[in-house]
Amino acid sequence: MTTSRQAYRLDPQRPGSDLAGETAAAMAAASLVFRRSNPGYANLLLQHSKQMFDFADKFRGRYDASIPVARKYYQSVSGYSDELLWAAAWLFQATDDRRYLDYLANNADAMGGTGWSTAMFSWDIKYAGVQVLAAKILLQGRAGAHAAVLQRYRQKADFFVCASLGKQGYGNVKRTPGGLLYHMQWNNLQYVTSGSFLLAAYSDSLAAARQAAVWCPAGPASPAQIMAFAKSQVDYILGSNPRATSYMVGYGFIYPLEAHHRGASIVSFQSNPSFVACKAGYAIWYPRKGSNPNLLDGAIVGGPDENDNFVDDRNNYQQTEAPTYNNAPFMGVLARLAAGGRLDRSIPDGT
């Protein structure tokens, strides 16, 4: 690859609280995964997570203001407050240090944690995730003096469930005729995979706390119903839909053959060792008719439109692009469904 792969940095003069906060949250969550199998690595992750959070909180600013080139592709629409709360919630889960719970509670209103009512969870908008994680802390009986604030977080988590299951009334997420949650035309499945993951996680938290249901305006939603709905979205993606099409490349009998992906759509070096310049890849291989020469096995594409229609054409990037943030939450919910009724307790507190 000969094109520029310039790296960028954040520092006190060029802050990026959203990006640093998200990284802190990821490291804190990962420290839980490795706590037993590799405690040294888990401690290192936690050390850097704390440092990253402190940096994000002290030097506040949006990452796309410090790195303007990112704004064209990945603009931070929700700002950085959700990522700061997200990081604090995960750090409390990982450390049980009350200062992180204090941060989550004391900034609940000012940073929008108890203000945002949303049915969307994404790489940009973390509020629903914060609300579900805060609700879990409450359900675990770990809220202490902050129970009232965490209860307000939980109300927003309940809104996410009710709106997703069509039981909210106002704010219900639209569905396609085939039953798929539909948020927007461009890469809708990113919101379906992340939403299904979050629904499955909240279902388990409710079940573990022996909660009968989320009480929605249009009727209750039990943990089993929430999990079943998450599964229905997964099943749709994997082929149980009006087109009988799997939107995971390589899975099932019918799946996308023209994923909007440079590596998949240009012939491999093993097949043709001649050099392919950047512009040549776009001019020659991108408009080429026919299936991609390389199978992007396992990728989740953008998916169908609001009427369950799908055009398998790599030029149709809104439906055929295959970003990593489509797959990442999907792996989580697949792991949960594969476990069936068994909850994996290999991680402390079932986190």
Side-chain angles (χ1 to χ4, degrees):
M1 186 163 184
T2 59
T3 50
S4 172
R5 303 293 286 177
Q6 181 177 344
Y8 297 87
R9 61 178 283 168
L10 302 175
D11 56 35
Q13 290 72 45
R14 294 177 292 270
S17 301
D18 33 17
L19 185 54
E22 172 66 11
T23 304
M27 288 182 172
S31 75
L32 289 163
V33 176
F34 291 102
R35 181 173 289 170
R36 291 182 180 173
S37 63
N38 193 340
Y41 181 53
N43 289 338
L44 183 65
L45 286 168
L46 209 50
Q47 174 189 348
H48 287 301
S49 176
K50 294 175 181 178
Q51 292 170 339
M52 198 73 71
F53 174 74
D54 290 342
F55 168 77
D57 189 39
K58 183 177 181 180
F59 303 103
R60 294 189 181 183
R62 283 171 38 165
Y63 94 104
D64 58 0
S66 298
I67 309 173
V69 68
R71 196 176 304 149
K72 181 179 178 181
Y73 302 99
Y74 292 102
Q75 183 179 2
S76 184
V77 176
S78 68
Y80 56 77
S81 293
D82 51 336
E83 276 85 10
L84 289 175
L85 295 172
W86 183 233
W90 275 113
L91 276 163
F92 178 67
Q93 285 289 86
T95 65
D96 212 26
D97 186 336
R98 306 297 289 189
R99 82 179 181 96
Y100 296 114
L101 182 60
D102 291 343
Y103 188 99
L104 182 65
N106 294 339
N107 292 285
D109 293 331
M111 290 187 169
T114 52
W116 273 62
S117 296
T118 180
M120 181 179 287
F121 180 50
S122 71
W123 61 267
D124 177 33
I125 304 172
K126 305 300 189 317
Y127 281 113
V130 174
Q131 291 154 359
V132 166
L133 200 50
K136 177 176 182 175
I137 295 168
L138 178 69
L139 292 168
Q140 290 174 328
R142 300 165 65 205
H146 298 305
V149 177
L150 265 60
Q151 179 61 37
R152 289 195 285 127
Y153 272 111
R154 183 185 173 183
Q155 291 170 356
K156 299 302 182 181
D158 289 352
F159 176 93
F160 177 84
V161 169
C162 298
S164 297
L165 270 65
K167 292 176 175 284
Q168 181 59 39
Y170 82 93
N172 280 346
V173 180
K174 185 178 178 179
R175 294 192 201 174
T176 68
L180 181 71
L181 290 171
Y182 190 81
H183 289 272
M184 63 176 60
Q185 182 176 353
W186 192 335
N187 189 15
N188 179 62
L189 287 188
Q190 65 175 303
Y191 306 108
V192 181
T193 59
S194 57
S196 299
F197 170 78
L198 201 56
L199 288 168
Y202 195 27
S203 171
D204 279 345
S205 295
L206 292 164
R210 302 187 184 281
Q211 297 289 302
V214 168
W215 301 100
C216 303
S222 70
Q225 288 174 319
I226 298 169
M227 186 67 75
F229 182 75
K231 181 179 180 297
S232 75
Q233 299 301 291
V234 171
D235 289 342
Y236 183 108
I237 292 170
L238 295 179
S240 295
N241 56 63
R243 291 177 53 85
T245 295
S246 165
Y247 294 104
M248 175 183 276
V249 177
Y251 182 85
F253 295 104
I254 303 172
Y255 51 80
L257 298 174
E258 295 190 38
H260 180 85
H261 185 277
R262 181 178 285 265
S265 57
I266 300 177
V267 68
S268 72
F269 184 81
Q270 284 77 14
S271 300
N272 184 351
S274 60
F275 178 70
V276 180
C278 180
K279 291 184 178 180
Y282 183 79
I284 298 173
W285 290 99
Y286 179 59
R288 173 182 168 271
K289 299 300 180 183
S291 303
N292 289 343
N294 307 309
L295 188 71
L296 195 62
D297 207 11
I300 303 293
V301 298
D305 66 15
E306 59 186 335
N307 295 310
D308 299 302
N309 296 318
F310 177 77
V311 177
D312 187 13
D313 184 331
R314 75 180 63 87
N315 190 47
N316 179 23
Y317 52 84
Q318 292 190 348
Q319 290 191 316
T320 61
E321 71 172 1
T324 55
Y325 47 79
N326 288 21
N327 274 74
F330 199 64
M331 296 303 102
V333 69
L334 284 178
R336 175 61 187 89
L337 293 174
R342 297 175 292 108
L343 286 179
D344 184 357
R345 295 299 181 187
S346 63
I347 301 172
D349 300 321
T351 302

